[in-house]
Structure formats: C-alpha cells, structure tokens
Amino acid sequence: MDQKPNFILFITDQHRADHLGCYGNPIVRTPNLDALAASGWVADEFHVATPICMPNRASLMTGRMPSRHGVRHNGIELSLDERTLPQTLLDAGYATAHVGKSHLQNIETKPAGFPKAGDPRLGREARRESAGRHGQEIWKRWEDNPDWDIETPFYGFETVDLCIHHADDEYGHWRRWIRSQTKDADKLIGPANAIPTPEFELSKFQQAWLTRVPEELYPTSWIADRAISRLGDMKAGGKPFFMHCSFPDPHHPYTPPGKYWDMYRPEDVPAPASFHAAHKKLPPHLQWLYARREDKTAVKNTQALFSCTEREAREAIALNYGSISMIDDAIGRVLAELRRLGLDKNTVVIFTADHADFLGDHQLLLKGPVHYRGLTRVPFIWSDPAANRAGRSSSFGQTTDIAPTILERAGVEAWNGMQGRSLLATANGQVDGVREDLLIEEEGQRYYMGFPDRVRLRSLLHGHCRISVYDGVRWGELYDRAADPDELHNLWDEPGSRGLRAEMTERLARAMIAHAETSPYPTQIA
C-alpha cells in the first residue's frame, strides 16, 4: 500500500449489467471478466448518472452530474476548463493514457436537433466557450486532413489512441491504422461491403451487418493491441499509471466479426421476461412507441429508441453477446500482458460501461428516455490486488463515484464540486454503502414519443422504488420493484400508492437540492 497503485479502467458502450456471466447470465461467455469479478468486488446496483453517452462519460471523468459539468446531452463538448480525473492524476505524478472511444467532444457533422428550426436561438451563451481546441474528435476532420490529430494532454491524457463511431465503421487512429495494414481496407468496412445476411431483420435497416473486416483488424482487437503496447511504455517509464481502455462495442449497429457473428444464434437466446409480460397502467410514451410498431411507422435506422419485434430483440441479443465475448477475449489478452510484465501485483483493474440498452426489455430496442432498470444499471467490477477480500454489494453506486474512488485509492485529494462518493470503504467491507438515494438525470435533443417539447426527466432510486418525473406532462412513473421486479405496474395514479408517491417526490426534490453546485468556495462572507 506504500507504493502508488496503477489503474486500468476498462469501459464498454451500451452494455447491460446482466449481460455478463458474473451478473448471472447463463448464456454469454465472459470467462475473463468473470474471473476478474471473482477476485474483486462487484457492485450489483451500479447505475449511470444519465443513460446518454457524452454526458455520462463526462460524469465519469469529472465525478459530477450532467447538470453541473454542462454536458447535459450529446452535442455539448466537455469544457476544457472542467477538472478531470486523468488531469488530476497527471498532476500527481501519474502517467496517463487513453485507448479507444473517448466521446468527450463532438464526433458528428450533423446539425443539432435543439432548438428546432424556426424556434428562437439567442446569439450568446451564459458561459463563454473555454479556451483550447474543440472539435478534435469530429470524424470528418480526420478524413479530410491526414495531419489532423489529438492535441495532448487531452483532458489530462498524455497519449491518445482514438476510435470514433461504432461497429466496424470507425474513424480516427484506427481507420488510419487499418489502411496501413491492407490497401483494400475501405472495401471491407460498412454495410455496403458487408456479407449478405438476408435472414436477419436488423440487416434490413442497417442495425446489424456481417463485416468483412477480419477479427484481427477489427477495432476491438486494435484497442487491445494498443493497450498492450501502452503497458510496455508504462513499464519502461517507471511511473504509476492510469490507462483508460474504452471499447465502442457492444453498441449498435451490431457487427461482431468472424466467429463472433454466429457464436450465439437468435433462436437460442430468450427474449427478456418483460417482453411478453402484461403491463398495467402503461405510460403514454410507451403507448406511443407501441402504436408506431403496430402501424409500421416506427423509425428503426437511427440512434433513437423504438419498439421492436421479438425476432429483432433476439437478433440484437445474440449479436450483442458475440461482441461482448470478443471484448472479454480482448481484455483477457491485456490482463495476460499485465501479468507478463509483472505489473498485476500493483494494478487496480476496473470494469464498467457508460450505459446500457433495452435489448427487448418491455419490447424496446436501443436506448431512450425511459429509465427502466435494464437501461440504467451497468456492471462495475473493482479488482484490487492489495484488498484482502472479494465480495458483492447491493448498495447503490453510480458513474460519478468512479473518479473519487480511484483518487482515494491513489492517495490523491478529490476536489470541491465532485458529487460522486468514494466506494472504497464499501469495496473493502468497512461500510454497507454511501448513499440511500440515487439521482438519474436526462436531457434530450429529440422531439418525439408524444411529448410537447424535447424530452427531459429526472428519476430517483430509493430502496426498491423508482420514481420518474417528466417535464411538460402531468403523468409520471412509480414502481415498487420488490413486488414488481420487472417494473410492469405503474403505480403513479394508483390511489393506494399516494403516500409512496409523495414520499418519493419529496426524496427526489431533496436529492436535487443535494446535487446543487458547491464550487467555487466563497472568498468572503459578503
């Protein structure tokens, strides 16, 4: 414990907690992550700050909620003035490296969906844009300019090996690398070059395709290779290190390569229990989604949530499992190199995901503003070679807790304004938990699902209950997961649940007060 520990933080994208063997999944094969969990501490009730990529990744890096760090939804870049975990570790003498997906800055060239065309848009913002280089991750800049690259340190990362986008159609350093490996790289990538799979419904609207990119050239393999190379650099450098190893999969479109495509068959994976279960007091936004499936007007080829058929759900689950098994193999290679280099005895290994995917829960596919447990609950594994215990906890943890937990283990002081709480004492068995209530925020750009404006909501988890309150409507959601684990019966308007609704509403209000800004400290009393 006298020596500064190293850290490897593995993170996947759109990965449900229950899609790992160590979280009770009997089908998907994840032996390396299962072994990591067996040697460490597993959080069974770990949830996101928001189930959206950019804001939740920013919450991981800052220990702050989206309403505080400012990345309220996709399309807003994390300010370069915001204090981050890697920058703080770098300042404390750590070597820092990022490999894979970052998404702390914008990656698209598409215009924003908010404000809508025709709505007023003021010419100035409350906060002036921070100094520094923005738009570094926009994929087209990498394509148009062969010299375009990340300016380091990038939010505190000294080195960056970058992937941009998802599936096999990624850009950044990976696209440049694969082009150096084969002159036909661009003829292997994307749905236009895919091996035909007419039996897959998802292929018909390009949410899945069988890529021609070989396993060894696929982004997941490249990320593992780069992480292995960076471990050698860290070993040679002699400093304690923090490496962020970020896989863009198992995000849609689903394109697991080679043997991973048909490692699991749709016919062999069941739909979730909630797919066929009867719902009571179904919320209006789900009614809206179901109606568009039935009248065949559902939009299925974008990033937006839609109501799916059972066949579509089974295909997505099977292909998702393939991507997860490939990631597990990749992580196994990285951990083998960690052991070969003799670094494993002093390296804390962490695994989590930035958010989840419905994957058939409640007849839904992808992600969106409905905070069912399947979407907000993600895996969290903490494996510390200095810890004298392994175990699990059902106490609440959240993405914002990752940064303060790492800082405490590193012996580095946290900063004012962090809203996450260190889980180290819980992982070490010294306390049962650090929070009674868990707040989840969501701010969207989309205008859909029957809402009068773009979708905005707040949810609170307390004990076995969840309440969700939406902006602009009088209805909401309230579930008792002890009696109703699949969240099938919305208690919001039930006369017998008025007391529970009042209690949960008050708790939500108090949680929002508790998450108010505390930085900076005052300099005088007046």
Side-chain angles (χ1 to χ4, degrees):
M1 293 290 288
D2 294 335
Q3 187 180 359
K4 287 282 187 184
N6 309 310
F7 299 92
I8 300 179
L9 172 57
F10 292 108
I11 181 170
T12 48
D13 197 347
Q14 213 150 295
H15 188 167
R16 297 169 57 104
D18 57 5
H19 280 198
L20 286 175
C22 55
Y23 277 84
N25 191 295
I27 298 173
V28 66
R29 296 192 287 276
T30 51
N32 293 294
L33 288 169
D34 295 349
L36 191 71
S39 71
W41 178 74
V42 177
D44 281 318
E45 286 293 337
F46 198 85
H47 293 260
V48 297
T50 182
I52 305 174
C53 185
M54 284 184 76
N56 202 61
R57 287 175 180 269
S59 288
L60 190 158
M61 289 296 159
T62 63
R64 286 159 59 80
M65 297 294 284
S67 59
R68 297 297 167 257
H69 58 59
V71 187
R72 301 183 307 279
H73 48 67
N74 284 352
I76 302 173
E77 298 188 328
L78 181 63
S79 170
L80 290 160
D81 290 339
E82 193 79 14
R83 190 177 297 278
T84 65
L85 170 65
Q87 184 63 58
T88 303
L89 291 173
L90 180 65
D91 293 343
Y94 271 75
T96 58
H98 168 85
V99 181
K101 179 180 178 181
S102 164
H103 211 183
L104 296 176
Q105 294 189 354
N106 290 332
I107 61 176
E108 293 288 358
T109 58
K110 301 173 185 175
F114 163 73
K116 289 189 295 188
D119 284 354
R121 183 177 189 129
L122 299 175
R124 291 177 291 185
E125 300 283 359
R127 293 180 180 175
R128 290 176 293 182
E129 186 176 275
S130 62
R133 191 170 163 217
H134 295 269
Q136 297 186 59
E137 297 187 54
I138 292 175
W139 72 271
K140 198 169 188 312
R141 292 179 176 173
W142 288 77
E143 287 295 281
D144 292 347
N145 182 355
D147 296 323
W148 187 267
D149 212 330
I150 292 291
E151 184 178 285
T152 55
F154 184 67
Y155 296 100
F157 288 114
E158 295 175 289
T159 63
V160 175
D161 299 291
L162 190 65
C163 282
I164 305 169
H165 279 159
H166 301 104
D168 71 346
D169 196 10
E170 298 188 27
Y171 293 89
H173 290 120
W174 172 78
R175 179 77 69 133
R176 292 177 180 174
W177 171 82
I178 192 173
R179 286 169 175 160
S180 74
Q181 302 302 300
T182 172
K183 60 182 176 58
D184 294 328
D186 290 301
K187 296 178 181 178
L188 303 174
I189 295 168
N193 298 313
I195 299 167
T197 52
E199 71 278 17
F200 274 79
E201 292 296 315
L202 294 178
S203 295
K204 295 175 183 177
F205 44 90
Q206 295 188 358
Q207 287 292 9
W209 59 83
L210 177 51
T211 180
R212 294 186 189 274
V213 176
E215 293 170 26
E216 65 273 13
L217 300 182
Y218 191 78
T220 297
S221 297
W222 176 82
I223 290 168
D225 291 342
R226 294 307 304 147
I228 288 169
S229 177
R230 292 299 182 190
L231 281 178
D233 296 341
M234 301 294 192
K235 170 80 171 181
K239 291 183 178 180
F241 64 81
F242 170 74
M243 183 165 69
H244 182 237
C245 186
S246 176
F247 297 96
D249 278 353
H251 197 287
H252 65 100
Y254 308 103
T255 62
K259 65 176 178 289
Y260 297 102
W261 173 269
D262 53 8
M263 183 173 281
Y264 307 91
R265 300 192 316 147
E267 296 77 14
D268 297 334
V269 299
S274 63
F275 192 96
H276 292 294
H279 290 69
K280 189 174 181 182
K281 300 292 182 72
L282 190 70
H285 54 342
L286 262 72
Q287 296 178 33
W288 187 95
L289 289 168
Y290 290 175
R292 272 140 190 83
R293 181 188 61 193
E294 297 310 312
D295 67 16
K296 302 189 185 306
T297 61
V299 177
K300 299 183 176 183
N301 63 342
T302 70
Q303 298 284 331
L305 173 68
F306 66 90
S307 181
C308 62
T309 66
E310 184 174 358
R311 173 66 191 187
E312 290 164 350
R314 286 172 177 257
E315 288 178 5
I317 294 167
L319 296 175
N320 183 272
Y321 284 172
S323 294
I324 291 169
S325 287
M326 184 178 193
I327 291 167
D328 185 82
D329 288 342
I331 288 175
R333 290 202 293 120
V334 177
L335 295 180
E337 180 67 4
L338 188 76
R339 291 189 292 271
R340 190 189 72 80
L341 293 172
L343 296 171
D344 57 309
K345 298 297 188 292
N346 193 41
T347 299
V348 179
V349 180
I350 308 151
F351 178 82
T352 192
D354 86 332
H355 55 77
D357 185 316
F358 288 110
L359 286 166
D361 265 0
H362 305 273
Q363 303 177 19
L364 303 175
L365 200 60
L366 310 186
K367 59 186 182 289
V370 193
H371 288 173
Y372 285 124
R373 173 182 173 84
L375 180 68
T376 68
R377 179 176 174 249
V378 292
F380 183 77
I381 301 169
W382 173 275
S383 182
D384 185 346
N388 56 10
R389 68 184 294 274
R392 308 180 79 99
S393 172
S394 59
S395 62
F396 287 133
Q398 190 170 46
T399 303
T400 53
D401 299 334
I402 294 174
T405 306
I406 290 173
L407 290 175
E408 183 179 1
R409 181 64 180 87
V412 177
E413 186 180 32
W415 58 87
N416 179 37
M418 291 186 88
Q419 295 159 315
R421 304 174 186 180
S422 173
L423 301 175
L424 194 62
T426 309
N428 290 337
Q430 297 164 327
V431 299
D432 290 336
V434 297
R435 62 174 86 240
E436 288 187 356
D437 301 312
L438 190 144
L439 177 67
I440 300 171
E441 301 180 346
E442 182 155 359
E443 300 267 337
Q445 285 198 47
R446 289 190 175 91
Y447 299 77
Y448 73 141
M449 295 173 66
F451 287 94
D453 207 333
R454 64 189 180 92
V455 189
R456 309 174 72 200
L457 73 145
R458 298 292 185 269
S459 292
L460 187 82
L461 306 182
H462 171 75
H464 48 77
C465 295
R466 190 253 294 182
I467 190 170
S468 294
V469 179
Y470 296 80
D471 184 35
V473 296
R474 299 297 299 271
W475 55 267
E477 292 180 89
L478 178 65
Y479 300 96
D480 178 350
R481 292 195 292 214
D484 177 23
D486 291 323
E487 298 177 289
L488 301 172
H489 184 186
N490 184 11
L491 302 173
W492 181 269
D493 282 326
E494 294 285 11
S497 298
R498 287 172 181 166
L500 177 62
R501 177 174 156 184
E503 177 192 351
M504 291 294 289
T505 301
E506 180 181 343
R507 284 187 173 276
L508 174 59
R510 293 188 181 281
M512 292 177 70
I513 293 171
H515 284 78
E517 183 65 273
T518 60
S519 177
Y521 288 123
T523 55
Q524 276 95 18
I525 197 168

